[in-house]
Amino acid sequence: METSAAAEVTGICRDLLRIDTTNTGDPSTTVGERVAAEYVAAKLDEVGISSVLHESAPKRANLIARIPGADRSRGALLLHGHLDVVPADASEWSVPPFAGEEKDGFLWGRGAIDMKDFDAMMLAVVRDWQRTGYVPPRDIVLAFTADEEAGMEFGSQYLVQKHRDLLEDCTEAVGEVGGYSYTVNDNLRLYLVQTAEKGLNWLRLNATGRPGHGSFIHDDNAVTALAEAVSAVGRHRFPVVVTPTVRRFLQEVSDALGIDLDPDNPEIAVAKLGPIANLIGATIRNTANPTRLEAGYKDNVIPGKASATIDCRTLPGQAESFLAELREIIGPDIEIEHIQQQPAVETEFGGALVDAMGAALRAEDPGARTVPYLMSGGTDAKAFATLGINCFGFAPLRLPPELNFAALFHGIDERVPVEGLEFGVRVLDRLLRNS
């Protein structure tokens, strides 16, 4: 089913990649998403779809549009994608990260899979509908958000807090990160549908001590105390916990691969998963990774305070027990400060929308089989789920078997296969027509 959507999706994605929307997390260095949001608004307006920009801070814009459906009594379906990207060091890339270059069958650039590819798919599909006069089965709400890469305060969290009336009739949502293929053999590809994601907790550990001269013997050193705590956290392995989503994933994969994947011994099971082992391995336990250190102001002065940032990700239902275990690891004298805290989310792998995902994939790839999975990172679903919306990650891509897809997220030389983009837009179109 070749459509004009498939014909224009690559061009739209290329345009978006050429708009630098780097989000450093620091307002003084963040570029902002407004130019990209204005591009989206223009693309929608070009075919007669009205939209509204909601600016949460200077240059930090979010776009909302609604496409009326045939049955307006049904709950609306929210399609969401963020416009910001993480920073990219051009010296590390083989192509300029914001050139949107096409080569070797791929479209290269920061945001190619996270997640301007899906932004482009959404735009391409609804533009095609508008040109042909197609009316979807129910209302479709489009949300293009800011700030997903730095905690969502200026993006989806802002929309939920300040403009929730625009979203309150949405019952289900589709966004990142799911719907991509894992090749088992020539006749079987598993497509991972995200039905859960870990909670996010960015913590700052603060150690205090007695300041003094660097030449003295000093037993109350804040840097030493912090270093010991950070080392203990970084080397600790939290116990294995198999959530319902992970258990279902292991059961599905065991059946599909025809191998013994014991869900009660998941570490052995995960090791058999090849290129997706790292992706799944982070979903069977809580994690805490030190990411930043800060202390001192002069080489010969012992500071009175030292701080470290810890990126913590918790499984559904594990937030309180995780913090208790972390306290035991670092000891009683280190202060724990919460920088950013967002809950885990989990929904059922079932229902009409999930069935439609599988049907849409099989129509384009007869070897497709959908399986649920728990994502180790976080998405805008964390904000939208607070409204009672059932959230799924489904940005469909058929990938080359040799491509290490997981390594491209926030990675060097991020790229998306052009054929995968065209495949994805056809699948998304089928899904939405039957949702």
Side-chain angles (χ1 to χ4, degrees):
M1 184 180 68
E2 190 63 31
T3 66
S4 60
E8 76 169 1
V9 66
T10 301
I12 294 174
C13 189
R14 181 187 298 113
D15 289 347
L16 287 169
L17 292 175
R18 290 175 176 173
I19 303 172
D20 185 350
T21 52
T22 297
N23 185 355
T24 64
D26 179 353
S28 67
T29 55
T30 289
V31 176
E33 301 85 355
R34 184 169 185 109
V35 172
E38 289 173 345
Y39 169 87
V40 173
K43 282 292 185 182
L44 294 173
D45 184 65
E46 191 174 83
V47 293
I49 299 173
S50 62
S51 62
V52 180
L53 295 184
H54 298 278
E55 193 170 65
S56 53
K59 300 182 181 180
R60 312 303 301 274
N62 301 274
L63 180 147
I64 295 286
R66 181 178 289 261
I67 300 171
D71 183 356
R72 307 210 66 186
S73 67
R74 293 181 58 194
L77 175 63
L78 172 65
L79 295 183
H80 61 93
H82 62 84
L83 295 169
D84 62 324
V85 298
V86 296
D89 183 346
S91 68
E92 299 175 333
W93 285 54
S94 61
V95 300
F98 296 103
E101 185 173 327
E102 185 176 341
K103 69 170 187 174
D104 302 327
F106 288 82
L107 191 58
W108 301 60
R110 174 59 85 217
I113 62 166
D114 188 14
M115 62 172 299
K116 291 180 177 179
D117 59 338
F118 190 60
D119 294 334
M121 290 182 206
M122 288 192 287
L123 275 175
V125 167
V126 299
R127 279 167 56 84
D128 184 52
W129 288 356
Q130 198 73 3
R131 284 190 294 258
T132 59
Y134 176 74
V135 177
R138 56 170 160 164
D139 280 15
I140 303 291
V141 176
L142 303 176
F144 292 85
T145 63
D147 200 33
E148 191 274 346
E149 297 291 4
M152 301 174 277
E153 177 184 356
F154 298 103
S156 54
Q157 296 282 4
Y158 168 81
L159 290 175
V160 166
Q161 293 165 11
K162 302 295 185 181
H163 300 283
R164 64 186 300 148
D165 57 301
L166 301 174
L167 306 167
E168 279 187 326
D169 67 331
C170 295
T171 55
E172 295 168 307
V174 174
E176 58 175 352
V177 174
Y180 53 88
S181 66
Y182 163 57
T183 298
V184 177
N185 55 51
D186 290 344
N187 300 313
L188 178 61
R189 276 158 298 281
L190 304 181
Y191 287 83
L192 280 65
V193 177
Q194 193 230 111
T195 58
E197 57 185 56
K198 287 175 122 179
L200 179 149
N201 203 340
W202 292 339
L203 303 176
R204 184 175 289 116
L205 305 186
N206 297 312
T208 56
R210 180 168 49 84
H213 199 287
S215 67
F216 296 163
I217 295 173
H218 208 94
D219 295 327
D220 186 17
N221 189 316
V223 175
T224 302
L226 180 73
E228 290 171 343
V230 168
S231 178
V233 171
R235 298 185 186 282
H236 183 73
R237 289 297 172 266
F238 291 84
V240 168
V241 177
V242 180
T243 64
T245 297
V246 171
R247 184 173 296 274
R248 176 75 182 271
F249 169 83
L250 292 172
Q251 291 167 347
E252 295 278 351
V253 169
S254 175
D255 180 60
L257 300 184
I259 58 177
D260 181 21
L261 294 177
D262 182 2
D264 294 318
N265 199 352
E267 290 186 300
I268 294 175
V270 168
K272 299 177 182 179
L273 298 179
I276 61 171
N278 286 341
L279 186 73
I280 303 303
T283 68
I284 60 174
R285 53 166 45 93
N286 300 318
T287 59
N289 287 306
T291 55
R292 301 180 70 179
L293 295 169
E294 183 179 358
Y297 52 89
K298 198 171 186 299
D299 292 346
N300 63 347
V301 176
I302 297 169
K305 183 177 180 179
S307 301
T309 303
I310 311 294
D311 184 347
C312 306
R313 308 293 173 126
T314 56
L315 295 166
Q318 292 285 304
E320 291 186 9
S321 61
F322 166 81
L323 286 174
E325 186 171 354
L326 186 70
R327 170 54 71 191
E328 289 184 9
I329 296 165
I330 66 174
D333 298 327
I334 302 293
E335 178 195 17
I336 299 177
E337 178 185 352
H338 292 270
I339 304 172
Q340 182 73 243
Q341 190 171 15
Q342 296 168 8
V345 296
E346 189 165 27
T347 192
E348 291 290 328
F349 182 65
L353 185 60
V354 170
D355 291 343
M357 291 175 184
L361 284 167
R362 289 189 297 273
E364 296 293 335
D365 178 8
R369 177 170 177 171
T370 55
V371 296
Y373 89 107
L374 167 70
M375 182 190 172
S376 60
T379 75
D380 282 325
K382 283 183 166 44
F384 297 132
T386 63
L387 299 179
I389 300 172
N390 290 323
C391 297
F392 299 90
F394 188 78
L397 287 172
R398 180 169 174 174
L399 302 169
E402 69 280 2
L403 183 67
N404 187 348
F405 185 62
L408 296 179
F409 282 89
H410 298 187
I412 297 167
D413 286 341
E414 185 180 347
R415 59 197 182 276
V416 63
V418 171
E419 288 186 359
L421 269 177
E422 295 169 353
F423 169 89
V425 84
R426 293 193 301 268
V427 171
L428 182 62
D429 187 23
R430 287 183 184 274
L431 168 64
L432 299 178
R433 288 172 184 264
N434 295 281
S435 65

